[in-house]
Amino acid sequence: MTVQENSIALTGRRVVVTGGASGMGAGLVRAFPKLGANVVSMDVVEDAGAAIAKDAGAQFVACDVSEPESVKSALGQSVSLLGGLDVLIHAAGTAPGGAAEDITFATWSEVMSINATGTFLTNQAAFEHLKASGGQILNFASAAGVQGLPNKAAYSASKGAVVAWTRTVAREWARYDITVNAIAPAIWTPMYDKTRASMTPEQLAAHDAFMASAVPLGGKLGDVDEHFVPVLAFLSSIGARFITGQVFPIDGGTLMMR
């Protein structure tokens, strides 16, 4: 294997993925072992998470990312299973909708505790295992956290916090050789299928017309395996070790960062 090939390989990389029981997190749990990585999936949904991990040749640890002790314990257990840690991918999240004026305190608190506080807790826990020898952290941001998204005010606010946190700790933790980046994905998942199924034929037609103009590449959300996994694989490889504090849209050109 050449130096260039080795720099983007995942062979032997020790990776923890949160939110591994569904959506994009599950896609990574299924894909990364095939690319040579050793993977532990963490999720609050135990049955589905454990089944997906087992089928993929990964391991599973139950975790509630909004609870400090759960995160600390689960990360410690995961690192023990892996024999160390190279990469944390924090994919766990929630995205309820609704008009801003109608958001309840309970909904606001839940979204913030999972998306924003979950990022804070998992990143801090990973830091303790990475500070001696360096490593990589990948957080899940969103276009909503950069430019806002109507009817997703709490979600947008939480993802704005993820962006600000990521850029700040990227500066602070660089001296430990820890890189911290975020992605802003627009990927087709089972959750999106449910959203589409809840629309009337008229709403679906309007939505698809909007997507056709909003996504320059293809006019629709991307595919997990074709469009999403390859980018995450690179960002989890040692070839990405000179990149930090960035937000990478994986969205067909919808959000053009600058």
Side-chain angles (χ1 to χ4, degrees), residues 93-119:
T94 187
E101 65 271 22
D102 295 329
I103 296 171
T104 65
F105 179 72
T107 296
W108 175 272
S109 298
E110 179 184 18
V111 173
M112 287 297 173
S113 68
I114 295 172
N115 295 352
T117 303
T119 299

Side-chain angles (χ1 to χ4, degrees), residues 17-231:
V17 179
T18 73
S22 61
M24 288 175 277
L28 295 173
V29 172
R30 292 186 177 103
F32 271 28
K34 297 176 184 177
L35 298 175
N38 299 315
V39 176
V40 171
S41 168
M42 301 199 321
D43 203 292
V44 71
V45 181
E46 296 188 35
D47 290 346
I52 290 169
K54 182 179 180 181
D55 289 344
Q59 300 182 82
F60 178 80
V61 175
C63 178
D64 180 345
V65 299
S66 69
E67 293 293 336
E69 290 306 315
S70 179
V71 171
K72 182 178 180 180
S73 174
L75 232 315
Q77 186 179 345
S78 298
V79 172
S80 294
L81 290 170
L82 293 170
L85 181 65
D86 297 307
V87 184
L88 167 71
I89 301 176
H90 178 49
T94 187
E101 65 271 22
D102 295 329
I103 296 171
T104 65
F105 179 72
T107 296
W108 175 272
S109 298
E110 179 184 18
V111 173
M112 287 297 173
S113 68
I114 295 172
N115 295 352
T117 303
T119 299
F120 158 70
L121 292 174
T122 57
N123 284 200
Q124 271 198 343
F127 171 81
E128 292 302 318
H129 298 284
L130 296 174
K131 64 182 179 181
S133 56
Q136 287 147 268
I137 296 174
L138 294 171
N139 294 319
F140 272 50
S142 170
V146 178
Q147 59 189 20
L149 182 63
N151 294 312
K152 293 278 188 178
Y155 175 73
S156 298
S158 70
K159 291 302 184 177
V162 171
V163 170
W165 165 268
T166 296
R167 287 174 167 166
T168 302
V169 296
R171 290 182 176 274
E172 290 192 24
W173 294 350
R175 65 192 180 101
Y176 298 99
D177 198 28
I178 298 172
T179 66
V180 190
N181 292 292
I183 61 164
I187 302 297
W188 200 303
T189 66
M191 183 180 294
Y192 181 57
D193 281 323
K194 292 180 181 178
T195 298
R196 292 177 63 84
S198 70
M199 296 179 182
T200 66
E202 293 77 14
Q203 289 173 330
L204 187 59
H207 172 76
D208 286 342
F210 168 76
M211 293 299 289
S213 63
V215 185
L217 286 174
K220 61 182 180 179
L221 298 185
D223 179 76
V224 169
D225 294 322
E226 182 180 358
H227 302 126
F228 175 73
V229 167
V231 178

